[in-house]
Amino acid sequence: MPRVKSPETENNILKAAIECFSQEGFTKTTISSIAKKAGISHATVFLYFSSKEDLFEKAVIGPQHWFYEKQVGLIQSTTGNSLEQLSQMVHLHVDFYMKQADYLRLVQYVFGQKERFRSIVNQIYSYTDQYIDVLEEVVKKVQEEGMIHNDQVRLTCWSYFSFLNGISLTFNENVSSEQMNQFKVSAERILGIGMRT
Amino acid sequence: MPRVKSPETENNILKAAIECFSQEGFTKTTISSIAKKAGISHATVFLYFSSKEDLFEKAVIGPQHWFYEKQVGLIQSTTGNSLEQLSQMVHLHVDFYMKQADYLRLVQYVFGQKERFRSIVNQIYSYTDQYIDVLEEVVKKVQEEGMIHNDQVRLTCWSYFSFLNGISLTFNENVSSEQMNQFKVSAERILGIGMRT
Amino acid sequence: MPRVKSPETENNILKAAIECFSQEGFTKTTISSIAKKAGISHATVFLYFSSKEDLFEKAVIGPQHWFYEKQVGLIQSTTGNSLEQLSQMVHLHVDFYMKQADYLRLVQYVFGQKERFRSIVNQIYSYTDQYIDVLEEVVKKVQEEGMIHNDQVRLTCWSYFSFLNGISLTFNENVSSEQMNQFKVSAERILGIGMRT
Amino acid sequence: MPRVKSPETENNILKAAIECFSQEGFTKTTISSIAKKAGISHATVFLYFSSKEDLFEKAVIGPQHWFYEKQVGLIQSTTGNSLEQLSQMVHLHVDFYMKQADYLRLVQYVFGQKERFRSIVNQIYSYTDQYIDVLEEVVKKVQEEGMIHNDQVRLTCWSYFSFLNGISLTFNENVSSEQMNQFKVSAERILGIGMRT
DNA sequence: TATGAATGAGTGTTCATTCAT
DNA sequence: GATGAATGAACACTCATTCAT
């Protein structure tokens, strides 16, 4: 982070960049459109980021730390016995994923072009891996208490994670609360809870 | 009598286009690169498609019919009692989605930029709706036999569909067979079957 | 002239070419548009003319012979004493020039870009020179009869010729008969006749 | 504070554009050739003009105001009695038209393709109309003094104007002074003066 | 520091021309 | 002989990046 002048400006650029890149993709988005949205001149962008690629990478990677902290935070904010905690986490996760549509679209855009954005994809995978670690712990704990059973906890966690991405991709606009509830049920089922048989 | 425009060439262009567009996105992909991959001159592309936009739309929409026919076909190819059939369908679906990574990435790319590709997105939604119709029927039949229970069958089907897209997005390369199996288990769970409690 | 197959087709092409070239200029006009107007395929044009340049040159030069024969014919078709004949000629000339707007526009187009179409321009000048020869003879004859006086007969003829081109250029659509009459008066005045003092 | 867009550069582009367009026509002329002649990069042209069409229109229309001011100025610069003034005006006009060959060729090029450049043609007609207004006044004044007679003053003025364009079109290079003098005589005759019978 | 002017590299698209049938 | 498919050359226009102020 060059931190040349105003960190506020830097943030404005990054926010504008996330919006533009997620709506139009990398190549279609112009530096000018980002600058305009950030309320500055296009040339100023280059004072804060060395190139369009640099800005893109920072816009995608930058929020990752916060993003996964947030997810972990959701887990830690739960209360009750561990089964109840897991269920609460699922609810919070689904809500969170549907609310972060903009940024998630950007991440999904990058994931859809793995060869093109190899280096960024790898960085995100590494963040995700850490998060899956945390998730795995939680699920394992519930399992040890005998309340659910999953042969392959880690792989189950990846399924869960994929599901969250899948719903965010398919429904990033106009989701009903009924639909949201169903997503939560489905997510719980993936983790082995919530079956009402 | 002059030479005749070859349907084979048209197909080569479409195949090349799907590959390129899914790897690089719309704007980054050049007509030249598509032409090169199809083994023709870039100008020839314009003999078959009126513009880059036209080619893109046809590359995305074209396979939809086949794609959903295929999915419906998978359902019909199953045997046994209806629960077994549903389970078989899930297995075939997961396999199919992981194999169609290239094309699915393209569809997901379009979905990630709904404002930009509004018209295409709407067309795909309409295909998907039809497919969900079929899926709903199947699930309802199993349910009527009392073997599973889902309050919201249609919404459950959308969850199932989102999950398939989610795994295809997150893992479009190097998936282990263990992982594949877990995906199948998770998919079954979303539909309310496969819980081993 | 290759005279490959049908002279009728060749003529259709030339007629279409004159129309297109005079309306849109050389570069803007496409071989396809000419072919379409001539009711044939664009490739067929190349059976009759070796290149676009070739077709253009033939379309411009081709009618020159007929055009100046026609003008000379107008002179010879007059009757009465030589002053009356000159006046009749002027009337016929003005009518003729306003009627040949399409082709004249093409010639004027070429004249407006003398460097670009040097060779064609020179050929037209040589035709025009011959015509001015004829015109000069006529005017000189009237002058010898003492009915008009012009110091510089040849230069006066060029003025007359320039005037005809000038009105055709400025008014190639919607000319009133009043205007036509005034043109005739003006043309006569250039030649030294028609002054009503 | 950044550099400022220079009006000098804009003028250079316009001058280069007039030269190129008048020599090669609209389509044949490339933005690069204009830029080269103006001593700048082709991309810079688009900083000053939004498109090739825009540049063309401005190059054609731009000088119209100056052009007709100039013509009117010529009239006002004359001295002596009104007949002498008219004669002087004609001399100045002929000189002026032969000197403005470059720009006039461009105007004539546009006039030769009225359908293609309809909007520009209409704008020029409106300028010309104003100029003819002025000319008409002058001629009428001379006429009122009983020194010449023209039935249709306005139409005569259009003839005069057409003649000026005609000579400029036919002789935009290498005109002898003898020829120039004859042009002046012819122009005077159109207006009803200068007959030496 | 911040900006707008300037530009070179790049791309979609057109079109004259060639070629196979 | 006639045609439509195929193509390479060319061009308008865009945009990331640099530079002068």
Side-chain angles (χ1 to χ4, degrees):
Chain A
M1 270 160 283
R3 199 75 51 81
V4 184
K5 212 44 202 291
S6 138
E8 193 192 352
T9 299
E10 188 176 327
N11 263 326
N12 288 340
I13 297 174
L14 282 168
K15 235 194 300 186
I18 289 173
E19 229 175 300
C20 291
F21 284 135
S22 74
Q23 278 170 20
E24 312 252 64
F26 178 76
T27 314
K28 178 88 184 297
T29 296
T30 66
I31 293 286
S32 288
S33 67
I34 295 172
K36 195 176 171 186
K37 193 163 273 183
I40 52 169
S41 157
H42 72 277
T44 306
V45 174
F46 289 94
L47 289 181
Y48 290 82
F49 302 92
S50 65
S51 69
K52 195 185 180 187
E53 272 80 13
D54 179 41
L55 170 56
F56 183 74
E57 181 162 339
K58 295 213 166 80
V60 178
I61 298 295
Q64 283 289 312
H65 186 68
W66 168 85
F67 193 76
Y68 288 108
E69 285 295 316
K70 191 82 186 180
Q71 289 189 78
V72 172
L74 293 183
I75 296 174
Q76 291 160 347
S77 72
T78 56
T79 55
N81 69 45
S82 50
L83 189 60
E84 282 165 0
Q85 285 192 333
L86 196 58
S87 173
Q88 281 174 42
M89 181 200 76
V90 168
H91 282 238
L92 294 170
H93 267 170
V94 170
D95 288 336
F96 180 65
Y97 265 74
M98 296 309 283
K99 264 186 208 142
Q100 293 298 321
D102 241 39
Y103 175 63
L104 280 169
R105 277 164 78 184
L106 184 51
V107 175
Q108 287 155 7
Y109 168 81
V110 170
F111 257 73
Q113 303 180 51
K114 289 200 177 64
E115 301 89 353
R116 187 181 177 190
F117 303 117
R118 175 62 65 194
S119 139
I120 301 181
V121 166
N122 287 342
Q123 292 177 65
I124 295 179
Y125 263 134
S126 112
Y127 272 102
T128 307
D129 250 342
Q130 291 172 39
Y131 167 63
I132 297 280
D133 284 346
V134 177
L135 195 59
E136 195 181 1
E137 294 265 327
V138 177
V139 176
K140 270 189 174 152
K141 209 177 110 199
V142 181
Q143 189 153 317
E144 276 158 17
E145 296 177 9
M147 317 193 68
I148 59 173
H149 177 72
N150 287 293
D151 279 331
Q152 304 269 8
V153 178
R154 189 168 193 85
L155 298 184
T156 299
C157 290
W158 277 109
S159 283
Y160 172 74
F161 173 78
S162 299
F163 175 71
L164 290 176
N165 274 291
I167 57 173
S168 146
L169 176 70
T170 317
F171 299 92
N172 56 21
E173 31 174 31
N174 315 323
V175 199
S176 69
S177 63
E178 256 187 326
Q179 184 67 71
M180 291 287 285
N181 285 332
Q182 186 57 45
F183 289 155
K184 290 166 185 171
V185 171
S186 299
E188 287 177 337
R189 285 183 172 180
I190 289 175
L191 292 177
I193 61 179
M195 299 294 287
R196 300 158 199 155
T197 33
Chain B
M1 260 161 294
R3 232 179 306 171
V4 159
K5 223 187 293 191
S6 115
E8 194 193 349
T9 299
E10 188 174 329
N11 265 327
N12 288 340
I13 297 174
L14 282 168
K15 234 190 304 183
I18 289 174
E19 228 175 301
C20 291
F21 284 136
S22 74
Q23 279 169 20
E24 311 253 64
F26 179 77
T27 313
K28 177 86 184 297
T29 296
T30 66
I31 293 286
S32 289
S33 69
I34 295 173
K36 195 175 170 186
K37 193 163 273 185
I40 54 172
S41 157
H42 72 278
T44 304
V45 174
F46 290 95
L47 273 185
Y48 291 82
F49 302 92
S50 64
S51 68
K52 195 185 179 185
E53 271 80 13
D54 180 42
L55 171 55
F56 183 73
E57 180 160 341
K58 295 213 165 81
V60 178
I61 298 293
Q64 283 289 312
H65 185 69
W66 169 84
F67 193 76
Y68 287 110
E69 284 294 316
K70 192 80 187 183
Q71 289 190 78
V72 171
L74 291 184
I75 297 173
Q76 292 160 345
S77 71
T78 55
T79 55
N81 69 45
S82 51
L83 190 60
E84 283 164 1
Q85 285 193 333
L86 196 59
S87 173
Q88 280 173 44
M89 182 200 77
V90 168
H91 282 239
L92 294 169
H93 267 169
V94 171
D95 287 337
F96 180 64
Y97 265 73
M98 297 308 283
K99 264 185 209 146
Q100 293 298 321
D102 241 38
Y103 175 62
L104 280 169
R105 280 163 76 182
L106 184 51
V107 174
Q108 288 155 6
Y109 169 80
V110 169
F111 258 73
Q113 303 181 50
K114 289 200 175 64
E115 301 89 354
R116 187 180 177 190
F117 303 117
R118 176 60 65 193
S119 142
I120 301 181
V121 166
N122 287 342
Q123 291 178 65
I124 295 178
Y125 263 134
S126 114
Y127 271 103
T128 308
D129 251 341
Q130 290 173 38
Y131 167 63
I132 298 280
D133 285 346
V134 176
L135 197 58
E136 196 181 1
E137 293 266 327
V138 177
V139 176
K140 270 186 172 153
K141 212 178 107 199
V142 181
Q143 189 153 316
E144 277 157 17
E145 296 177 9
M147 316 193 69
I148 59 173
H149 176 71
N150 287 293
D151 280 329
Q152 304 267 8
V153 178
R154 190 169 191 84
L155 298 184
T156 299
C157 289
W158 276 108
S159 284
Y160 172 73
F161 174 77
S162 299
F163 175 70
L164 291 176
N165 273 292
I167 57 172
S168 146
L169 176 71
T170 319
F171 299 92
N172 57 20
E173 30 174 33
N174 316 322
V175 199
S176 68
S177 62
E178 258 187 324
Q179 184 67 70
M180 291 287 285
N181 285 332
Q182 187 57 45
F183 290 154
K184 289 166 185 173
V185 170
S186 299
E188 287 177 336
R189 286 182 172 179
I190 289 175
L191 292 177
I193 61 177
M195 297 295 287
R196 298 157 198 156
T197 32
Chain C
M1 270 159 281
R3 201 74 51 80
V4 185
K5 212 49 202 288
S6 138
E8 193 192 352
T9 298
E10 189 176 326
N11 262 328
N12 287 341
I13 298 174
L14 282 168
K15 234 192 304 183
I18 289 174
E19 229 175 301
C20 291
F21 284 135
S22 75
Q23 277 170 21
E24 311 252 63
F26 179 77
T27 314
K28 178 87 185 296
T29 296
T30 66
I31 292 286
S32 288
S33 68
I34 295 172
K36 195 176 172 186
K37 193 163 274 183
I40 54 170
S41 157
H42 71 278
T44 305
V45 174
F46 289 93
L47 289 181
Y48 291 82
F49 302 91
S50 65
S51 71
K52 195 184 180 186
E53 272 79 14
D54 180 41
L55 170 56
F56 183 73
E57 180 161 339
K58 295 214 165 79
V60 178
I61 297 295
Q64 283 289 313
H65 186 68
W66 168 85
F67 193 77
Y68 287 108
E69 284 295 316
K70 191 80 186 179
Q71 289 191 80
V72 172
L74 293 183
I75 296 173
Q76 291 160 347
S77 72
T78 56
T79 55
N81 68 44
S82 50
L83 189 59
E84 283 164 2
Q85 285 193 333
L86 195 58
S87 173
Q88 280 175 42
M89 181 201 76
V90 167
H91 282 238
L92 294 169
H93 266 168
V94 170
D95 288 337
F96 179 65
Y97 264 75
M98 296 308 285
K99 264 186 209 143
Q100 292 298 319
D102 242 38
Y103 176 63
L104 279 169
R105 279 163 77 182
L106 183 52
V107 174
Q108 287 154 8
Y109 168 80
V110 170
F111 257 73
Q113 303 180 51
K114 289 200 176 67
E115 300 88 354
R116 187 180 178 190
F117 303 118
R118 175 61 65 194
S119 140
I120 302 181
V121 166
N122 287 342
Q123 291 178 66
I124 296 178
Y125 264 134
S126 112
Y127 271 103
T128 307
D129 251 342
Q130 290 172 40
Y131 166 64
I132 297 281
D133 285 347
V134 176
L135 195 61
E136 195 180 1
E137 293 266 327
V138 176
V139 176
K140 269 188 174 151
K141 210 177 110 200
V142 181
Q143 189 154 317
E144 275 157 17
E145 295 176 10
M147 317 193 69
I148 60 173
H149 176 71
N150 287 294
D151 280 330
Q152 304 270 7
V153 178
R154 188 167 193 87
L155 298 184
T156 298
C157 290
W158 275 108
S159 282
Y160 172 73
F161 173 78
S162 299
F163 175 71
L164 290 176
N165 272 291
I167 58 173
S168 146
L169 176 70
T170 318
F171 298 92
N172 57 20
E173 30 173 34
N174 314 323
V175 199
S176 68
S177 63
E178 256 187 326
Q179 184 67 70
M180 290 288 284
N181 285 332
Q182 186 56 45
F183 290 155
K184 288 165 185 173
V185 171
S186 298
E188 286 178 336
R189 285 182 172 180
I190 289 175
L191 292 177
I193 61 179
M195 298 296 286
R196 300 158 200 155
T197 32
Chain D
M1 261 158 292
R3 232 179 308 171
V4 159
K5 223 188 291 191
S6 114
E8 194 193 350
T9 298
E10 188 174 328
N11 266 327
N12 288 340
I13 297 174
L14 283 168
K15 236 192 301 184
I18 290 173
E19 229 175 300
C20 290
F21 284 135
S22 74
Q23 280 169 19
E24 312 253 63
F26 179 76
T27 314
K28 178 84 185 299
T29 296
T30 66
I31 293 286
S32 289
S33 68
I34 294 173
K36 196 175 171 185
K37 193 163 274 183
I40 53 172
S41 156
H42 73 278
T44 304
V45 174
F46 290 96
L47 273 185
Y48 290 82
F49 301 92
S50 64
S51 68
K52 196 185 179 186
E53 271 80 13
D54 180 42
L55 171 56
F56 183 73
E57 180 161 340
K58 294 214 165 81
V60 177
I61 298 293
Q64 284 289 312
H65 186 69
W66 169 84
F67 193 76
Y68 287 109
E69 284 295 317
K70 192 80 187 181
Q71 289 190 79
V72 172
L74 292 184
I75 297 173
Q76 292 161 344
S77 71
T78 55
T79 55
N81 67 45
S82 51
L83 190 60
E84 282 164 1
Q85 285 192 333
L86 195 59
S87 173
Q88 281 173 43
M89 182 201 76
V90 168
H91 282 238
L92 294 169
H93 266 169
V94 171
D95 288 337
F96 180 65
Y97 265 73
M98 296 308 283
K99 263 185 210 145
Q100 292 299 321
D102 241 39
Y103 175 63
L104 281 168
R105 280 162 77 182
L106 183 51
V107 174
Q108 289 154 7
Y109 168 81
V110 169
F111 257 72
Q113 303 181 51
K114 289 200 177 65
E115 300 89 353
R116 187 180 177 190
F117 303 117
R118 175 61 64 194
S119 142
I120 301 181
V121 166
N122 287 342
Q123 292 178 65
I124 296 179
Y125 263 134
S126 116
Y127 272 103
T128 307
D129 251 341
Q130 290 173 39
Y131 167 62
I132 297 280
D133 284 346
V134 176
L135 196 58
E136 196 181 1
E137 294 264 327
V138 176
V139 175
K140 270 188 172 150
K141 210 178 110 200
V142 181
Q143 189 153 313
E144 277 158 18
E145 295 176 9
M147 317 194 67
I148 60 173
H149 176 70
N150 287 294
D151 279 330
Q152 303 269 7
V153 177
R154 190 169 190 86
L155 298 184
T156 299
C157 290
W158 276 107
S159 283
Y160 172 73
F161 174 78
S162 299
F163 175 71
L164 291 176
N165 273 291
I167 57 173
S168 145
L169 176 70
T170 318
F171 298 92
N172 57 21
E173 30 174 30
N174 315 323
V175 199
S176 69
S177 62
E178 258 186 324
Q179 184 66 71
M180 290 287 284
N181 286 331
Q182 185 56 45
F183 289 155
K184 289 165 184 173
V185 171
S186 299
E188 286 178 337
R189 286 182 171 179
I190 290 176
L191 291 178
I193 61 177
M195 297 295 286
R196 298 157 200 157
T197 31

